[in-house]
Amino acid sequence: MLGLISDIHANLAALEAVLADAKSKGVTEFVCLGDVIGYNGQPEECVQLLKAEGVRNILGNHDSYVTSGQNCERSKVVAGIIDKHQAELSSDSVAWLSRSMDSIQDGTTLFVHGGPQDHVDEYLYKVGIDTFPKGVTQLFAGHTHVQCILDFGTHVFCNPGSVGQPRDGDPRAAYAILSDGQIALHRVVYDIDRTIRAMKERGYEEFMYRGLAKGAQINGRIDEIVKA
């Protein structure tokens, strides 16, 4: 049984809840589809927990801002949070993020953060049979924070959803389990107030965490993934 987590975004309470829930279901191995940091208030704690658990991480765009030194150019808010996280992360945590993989392929199954065309920063809001690269029949991607399974008969797409900042209208932390080729989606209630308290203590503005209780982006938007 493989636990698939993604888009933790420095939300320690959500990450701890997901790991505990998955372990209670028999999961002993985890792959993270990236974005361990960004948005929320406990980047160092989340990286160190993943490291302690032996989780394999695929490089997300927020992770890459720290490891590459190229900060986000499309959002001043995101860039400011990355600067804050850069200052809070230990050299050990930055080194761990730097060892993140570009992707993982196991036979006909491909795991990425973004999508097949751009593993780090492609947004898959519409998925069709032509989205799948040649030789891939199971595609797992994060980045959009929207949990879903799309079945095309011969091909299956899955986004396990976001652990730390769901954007599909459900505030519960999201993850998936892959077992014997079968995918199961899971949601877990976590202590959102604990996450907000940690952010307040570290000087985050209110608008940065107000979407957590709604399962929305920080601007309040709720997203979906559809078949193309």
Side-chain angles (χ1 to χ4, degrees), residues 23 42 51 75 82 88 99 103 112-113 124 126 138 185 193 195 214 218:
K23 288 179 180 179
Q42 294 175 285
K51 180 184 176 184
S75 170
I82 292 300
E88 295 173 356
R99 294 192 291 272
S103 62
V112 295
H113 176 68
L124 295 179
K126 291 184 178 181
Q138 275 191 328
L185 302 180
D193 289 338
T195 298
K214 301 176 182 178
I218 59 175

PDB file of all heavy atoms in Angstrom, residues 23 42 51 75 82 88 99 103 112-113 124 126 138 185 193 195 214 218:
ATOM      1  N   LYS A  23      -1.462   5.471   8.105  1.00  0.00           N
ATOM      2  CA  LYS A  23      -0.807   4.367   8.817  1.00  0.00           C
ATOM      3  C   LYS A  23      -1.835   3.447   9.465  1.00  0.00           C
ATOM      4  O   LYS A  23      -1.650   2.223   9.499  1.00  0.00           O
ATOM      5  CB  LYS A  23       0.153   4.915   9.868  1.00  0.00           C
ATOM      6  CG  LYS A  23       1.414   5.546   9.301  1.00  0.00           C
ATOM      7  CD  LYS A  23       2.282   6.090  10.423  1.00  0.00           C
ATOM      8  CE  LYS A  23       3.538   6.724   9.921  1.00  0.00           C
ATOM      9  NZ  LYS A  23       4.371   7.273  11.016  1.00  0.00           N
ATOM     10  N   GLN A  42       4.492  26.400   8.998  1.00  0.00           N
ATOM     11  CA  GLN A  42       5.489  25.532   9.636  1.00  0.00           C
ATOM     12  C   GLN A  42       6.287  24.711   8.606  1.00  0.00           C
ATOM     13  O   GLN A  42       6.235  23.484   8.578  1.00  0.00           O
ATOM     14  CB  GLN A  42       4.786  24.619  10.639  1.00  0.00           C
ATOM     15  CG  GLN A  42       4.191  25.407  11.815  1.00  0.00           C
ATOM     16  CD  GLN A  42       3.394  24.553  12.763  1.00  0.00           C
ATOM     17  OE1 GLN A  42       2.271  24.154  12.460  1.00  0.00           O
ATOM     18  NE2 GLN A  42       3.967  24.271  13.935  1.00  0.00           N
ATOM     19  N   LYS A  51      11.171  13.875   6.283  1.00  0.00           N
ATOM     20  CA  LYS A  51      12.497  13.256   6.300  1.00  0.00           C
ATOM     21  C   LYS A  51      12.539  12.108   7.301  1.00  0.00           C
ATOM     22  O   LYS A  51      13.048  11.018   6.995  1.00  0.00           O
ATOM     23  CB  LYS A  51      13.558  14.302   6.641  1.00  0.00           C
ATOM     24  CG  LYS A  51      14.975  13.752   6.673  1.00  0.00           C
ATOM     25  CD  LYS A  51      15.978  14.812   7.106  1.00  0.00           C
ATOM     26  CE  LYS A  51      17.371  14.200   7.213  1.00  0.00           C
ATOM     27  NZ  LYS A  51      18.363  15.187   7.716  1.00  0.00           N
ATOM     28  N   SER A  75       3.142  36.062  -8.372  1.00  0.00           N
ATOM     29  CA  SER A  75       2.408  36.465  -7.186  1.00  0.00           C
ATOM     30  C   SER A  75       3.364  37.052  -6.149  1.00  0.00           C
ATOM     31  O   SER A  75       4.256  36.359  -5.655  1.00  0.00           O
ATOM     32  CB  SER A  75       1.664  35.277  -6.570  1.00  0.00           C
ATOM     33  OG  SER A  75       1.150  35.609  -5.296  1.00  0.00           O
ATOM     34  N   ILE A  82       7.546  32.752   0.402  1.00  0.00           N
ATOM     35  CA  ILE A  82       8.747  31.962   0.106  1.00  0.00           C
ATOM     36  C   ILE A  82       9.968  32.604   0.764  1.00  0.00           C
ATOM     37  O   ILE A  82      10.821  31.905   1.332  1.00  0.00           O
ATOM     38  CB  ILE A  82       8.947  31.824  -1.412  1.00  0.00           C
ATOM     39  CG1 ILE A  82       7.836  30.964  -2.031  1.00  0.00           C
ATOM     40  CG2 ILE A  82      10.327  31.229  -1.726  1.00  0.00           C
ATOM     41  CD1 ILE A  82       7.757  29.548  -1.498  1.00  0.00           C
ATOM     42  N   GLU A  88      13.343  30.608   7.400  1.00  0.00           N
ATOM     43  CA  GLU A  88      13.003  29.700   8.492  1.00  0.00           C
ATOM     44  C   GLU A  88      13.564  28.294   8.300  1.00  0.00           C
ATOM     45  O   GLU A  88      13.719  27.547   9.266  1.00  0.00           O
ATOM     46  CB  GLU A  88      11.483  29.626   8.646  1.00  0.00           C
ATOM     47  CG  GLU A  88      10.850  30.939   9.086  1.00  0.00           C
ATOM     48  CD  GLU A  88       9.334  30.893   9.075  1.00  0.00           C
ATOM     49  OE1 GLU A  88       8.770  29.863   8.648  1.00  0.00           O
ATOM     50  OE2 GLU A  88       8.723  31.881   9.492  1.00  0.00           O
ATOM     51  N   ARG A  99      17.068  17.373  -2.910  1.00  0.00           N
ATOM     52  CA  ARG A  99      17.179  15.989  -3.382  1.00  0.00           C
ATOM     53  C   ARG A  99      15.846  15.449  -3.920  1.00  0.00           C
ATOM     54  O   ARG A  99      15.752  14.279  -4.291  1.00  0.00           O
ATOM     55  CB  ARG A  99      17.693  15.086  -2.250  1.00  0.00           C
ATOM     56  CG  ARG A  99      19.121  15.394  -1.822  1.00  0.00           C
ATOM     57  CD  ARG A  99      19.696  14.303  -0.921  1.00  0.00           C
ATOM     58  NE  ARG A  99      19.048  14.268   0.373  1.00  0.00           N
ATOM     59  CZ  ARG A  99      19.428  14.985   1.436  1.00  0.00           C
ATOM     60  NH1 ARG A  99      20.459  15.815   1.346  1.00  0.00           N
ATOM     61  NH2 ARG A  99      18.796  14.884   2.591  1.00  0.00           N
ATOM     62  N   SER A 103      10.326  13.394 -11.114  1.00  0.00           N
ATOM     63  CA  SER A 103       9.145  12.546 -11.314  1.00  0.00           C
ATOM     64  C   SER A 103       9.515  11.138 -10.875  1.00  0.00           C
ATOM     65  O   SER A 103      10.684  10.842 -10.612  1.00  0.00           O
ATOM     66  CB  SER A 103       8.700  12.534 -12.779  1.00  0.00           C
ATOM     67  OG  SER A 103       9.722  11.998 -13.610  1.00  0.00           O
ATOM     68  N   VAL A 112       3.932  12.866 -10.908  1.00  0.00           N
ATOM     69  CA  VAL A 112       4.546  14.175 -11.096  1.00  0.00           C
ATOM     70  C   VAL A 112       3.861  15.173 -10.163  1.00  0.00           C
ATOM     71  O   VAL A 112       2.817  14.877  -9.580  1.00  0.00           O
ATOM     72  CB  VAL A 112       4.417  14.670 -12.554  1.00  0.00           C
ATOM     73  CG1 VAL A 112       5.186  13.775 -13.513  1.00  0.00           C
ATOM     74  CG2 VAL A 112       2.954  14.768 -12.977  1.00  0.00           C
ATOM     75  N   HIS A 113       4.434  16.362 -10.060  1.00  0.00           N
ATOM     76  CA  HIS A 113       3.749  17.421  -9.317  1.00  0.00           C
ATOM     77  C   HIS A 113       2.747  18.140 -10.219  1.00  0.00           C
ATOM     78  O   HIS A 113       1.571  18.259  -9.884  1.00  0.00           O
ATOM     79  CB  HIS A 113       4.743  18.439  -8.762  1.00  0.00           C
ATOM     80  CG  HIS A 113       4.057  19.588  -8.065  1.00  0.00           C
ATOM     81  ND1 HIS A 113       3.373  19.427  -6.886  1.00  0.00           N
ATOM     82  CD2 HIS A 113       3.917  20.898  -8.404  1.00  0.00           C
ATOM     83  CE1 HIS A 113       2.842  20.585  -6.524  1.00  0.00           C
ATOM     84  NE2 HIS A 113       3.163  21.495  -7.424  1.00  0.00           N
ATOM     85  N   LEU A 124      -3.219  20.935 -14.373  1.00  0.00           N
ATOM     86  CA  LEU A 124      -4.156  20.053 -15.067  1.00  0.00           C
ATOM     87  C   LEU A 124      -5.564  20.249 -14.504  1.00  0.00           C
ATOM     88  O   LEU A 124      -6.006  19.511 -13.622  1.00  0.00           O
ATOM     89  CB  LEU A 124      -3.718  18.588 -14.938  1.00  0.00           C
ATOM     90  CG  LEU A 124      -2.397  18.215 -15.604  1.00  0.00           C
ATOM     91  CD1 LEU A 124      -2.082  16.745 -15.376  1.00  0.00           C
ATOM     92  CD2 LEU A 124      -2.425  18.530 -17.097  1.00  0.00           C
ATOM     93  N   LYS A 126      -8.112  20.426 -16.818  1.00  0.00           N
ATOM     94  CA  LYS A 126      -8.833  19.607 -17.788  1.00  0.00           C
ATOM     95  C   LYS A 126      -7.931  18.448 -18.188  1.00  0.00           C
ATOM     96  O   LYS A 126      -6.772  18.656 -18.539  1.00  0.00           O
ATOM     97  CB  LYS A 126      -9.218  20.418 -19.025  1.00  0.00           C
ATOM     98  CG  LYS A 126     -10.270  21.479 -18.770  1.00  0.00           C
ATOM     99  CD  LYS A 126     -10.675  22.167 -20.067  1.00  0.00           C
ATOM    100  CE  LYS A 126     -11.761  23.209 -19.825  1.00  0.00           C
ATOM    101  NZ  LYS A 126     -12.173  23.875 -21.086  1.00  0.00           N
ATOM    102  N   GLN A 138      -1.595   5.098 -15.900  1.00  0.00           N
ATOM    103  CA  GLN A 138      -2.001   5.693 -14.628  1.00  0.00           C
ATOM    104  C   GLN A 138      -1.154   6.933 -14.398  1.00  0.00           C
ATOM    105  O   GLN A 138       0.077   6.852 -14.359  1.00  0.00           O
ATOM    106  CB  GLN A 138      -1.809   4.728 -13.455  1.00  0.00           C
ATOM    107  CG  GLN A 138      -2.959   3.773 -13.224  1.00  0.00           C
ATOM    108  CD  GLN A 138      -2.821   3.039 -11.887  1.00  0.00           C
ATOM    109  OE1 GLN A 138      -1.728   2.768 -11.419  1.00  0.00           O
ATOM    110  NE2 GLN A 138      -3.942   2.719 -11.269  1.00  0.00           N
ATOM    111  N   LEU A 185      -9.519   7.348  -2.527  1.00  0.00           N
ATOM    112  CA  LEU A 185      -9.362   8.710  -2.039  1.00  0.00           C
ATOM    113  C   LEU A 185      -9.811   8.808  -0.585  1.00  0.00           C
ATOM    114  O   LEU A 185     -10.791   8.171  -0.193  1.00  0.00           O
ATOM    115  CB  LEU A 185     -10.190   9.683  -2.889  1.00  0.00           C
ATOM    116  CG  LEU A 185      -9.891   9.711  -4.392  1.00  0.00           C
ATOM    117  CD1 LEU A 185     -10.796  10.722  -5.084  1.00  0.00           C
ATOM    118  CD2 LEU A 185      -8.417  10.043  -4.645  1.00  0.00           C
ATOM    119  N   ASP A 193      -7.674  25.202  13.558  1.00  0.00           N
ATOM    120  CA  ASP A 193      -7.353  26.279  14.500  1.00  0.00           C
ATOM    121  C   ASP A 193      -5.891  26.224  14.942  1.00  0.00           C
ATOM    122  O   ASP A 193      -5.253  27.268  15.153  1.00  0.00           O
ATOM    123  CB  ASP A 193      -8.264  26.208  15.725  1.00  0.00           C
ATOM    124  CG  ASP A 193      -9.697  26.613  15.420  1.00  0.00           C
ATOM    125  OD1 ASP A 193      -9.899  27.323  14.409  1.00  0.00           O
ATOM    126  OD2 ASP A 193     -10.604  26.228  16.177  1.00  0.00           O
ATOM    127  N   THR A 195      -3.400  25.203  13.098  1.00  0.00           N
ATOM    128  CA  THR A 195      -2.640  25.744  11.973  1.00  0.00           C
ATOM    129  C   THR A 195      -2.714  27.265  11.963  1.00  0.00           C
ATOM    130  O   THR A 195      -1.697  27.946  11.758  1.00  0.00           O
ATOM    131  CB  THR A 195      -3.177  25.176  10.644  1.00  0.00           C
ATOM    132  OG1 THR A 195      -3.000  23.753  10.636  1.00  0.00           O
ATOM    133  CG2 THR A 195      -2.447  25.777   9.453  1.00  0.00           C
ATOM    134  N   LYS A 214     -12.711  26.938   4.527  1.00  0.00           N
ATOM    135  CA  LYS A 214     -13.660  26.822   3.411  1.00  0.00           C
ATOM    136  C   LYS A 214     -13.188  25.843   2.337  1.00  0.00           C
ATOM    137  O   LYS A 214     -13.933  25.554   1.397  1.00  0.00           O
ATOM    138  CB  LYS A 214     -13.877  28.195   2.769  1.00  0.00           C
ATOM    139  CG  LYS A 214     -14.413  29.255   3.717  1.00  0.00           C
ATOM    140  CD  LYS A 214     -14.507  30.608   3.022  1.00  0.00           C
ATOM    141  CE  LYS A 214     -14.999  31.685   3.980  1.00  0.00           C
ATOM    142  NZ  LYS A 214     -15.042  33.023   3.325  1.00  0.00           N
ATOM    143  N   ILE A 218      -6.492  31.270  -1.053  1.00  0.00           N
ATOM    144  CA  ILE A 218      -6.459  32.407  -0.156  1.00  0.00           C
ATOM    145  C   ILE A 218      -7.331  33.555  -0.669  1.00  0.00           C
ATOM    146  O   ILE A 218      -7.743  34.410   0.107  1.00  0.00           O
ATOM    147  CB  ILE A 218      -5.017  32.901   0.106  1.00  0.00           C
ATOM    148  CG1 ILE A 218      -4.315  33.298  -1.196  1.00  0.00           C
ATOM    149  CG2 ILE A 218      -4.223  31.847   0.836  1.00  0.00           C
ATOM    150  CD1 ILE A 218      -2.931  33.897  -0.958  1.00  0.00           C
TER     151      ILE A 218
END
